[in-house]
Amino acid sequence: MDFLIDRLPLYLDGAVVTFNITVLGTALAFVLAMAIGILGTLRNKVARAVATFYTEAFRGIAALVLMFWMAFSIPQITPYQLDVTFAAVLALGLNIGAYGAEVVRSSINAVPRAQTEATIALNMTWARRMRLVLLPQAWAQMLPTFGNLVIELMKASAIVSLIGVTDLTQVARVQGQSSGQTIWAFGSALIMYFIIAQVLILGMRLLERRANRRLGRAPAGGGLLALLRPPSVGTTTGGVR
């Protein structure tokens, strides 16, 4: 324990870098997922082709290879040098965004067809139909999977040290090599990663509860412990038990 206490400032700096990369990567992945996912639901063949190309291309490329390519290959074929942190965020966001796009597309398509037909009968525009009817229901459905993707992105950020980013994993590696206490060095990093994951999970649970409450699906009870409990059956089925 003294090992972690003595080096806590270093680990906190690394944890801040990891958290920032996670947040920025998540923001990029979310924007891409929503845009590409919605494109994938359109009848326009060109829009669907663009969505399919993006999802298949970036799901099929390893995040580490993409990261190396952006950090080390782009400067060789262009006059530009990407900052290593930016390259890490871009690679992780593109990779996770491809998975998120499929979540968005499937969630929108899962909204009952009768509701879409009703909005068409009411002469709603596509934008109004998407904003008022389809996305609110799809949003509540896609959040649990989005939560998993956020955690996956956070864990994938451990590879950013390989392109020179001083994140939590890099701090643990340096401290382990300098002190010879590998168990304590990486055990401390393990604890910090776990804490970051719990913060992210709690944030996603808050979003889930808010989305379900707006649809009249909020579970009974309240307080912090209720946030940590998984949604009940009634929460995910519109209150029908």
Side-chain angles (χ1 to χ4, degrees), residues 26-163:
T26 298
L28 175 60
F30 174 76
V31 171
L32 290 172
M34 293 299 294
I36 301 300
I38 291 174
L39 279 181
T41 65
L42 301 180
R43 294 184 178 181
N44 186 286
K45 292 183 179 180
V46 175
R48 292 204 309 272
V50 170
T52 300
F53 175 80
Y54 169 78
T55 54
E56 296 304 325
F58 286 100
R59 284 195 305 177
I61 299 175
L64 179 59
V65 174
L66 186 60
M67 200 175 298
F68 272 110
W69 193 84
M70 290 182 174
F72 304 126
S73 297
I74 286 182
Q76 296 182 13
I77 60 178
T78 71
Y80 302 103
Q81 171 73 55
L82 295 181
D83 177 79
V84 289
T85 302
F86 178 74
V89 169
L90 192 57
L92 292 173
L94 287 169
N95 183 259
I96 298 298
Y99 291 95
E102 281 298 285
V103 175
V104 173
R105 184 189 63 81
S106 61
S107 297
I108 292 175
N109 288 337
V111 176
R113 178 67 182 172
Q115 297 194 29
T116 302
E117 293 173 350
T119 59
I120 294 174
L122 292 172
N123 202 29
M124 285 188 177
T125 63
W126 175 87
R128 187 176 177 84
R129 178 165 68 245
M130 187 67 67
R131 180 172 60 88
L132 297 180
V133 179
L134 300 181
L135 277 182
Q137 297 181 70
W139 175 245
Q141 183 170 331
M142 68 180 72
L143 273 175
T145 308
F146 270 165
N148 290 336
L149 292 178
V150 170
I151 300 302
E152 289 299 320
L153 191 150
M154 185 273 294
K155 293 189 293 184
S157 72
I159 63 177
V160 303
S161 61
L162 298 177
I163 62 171

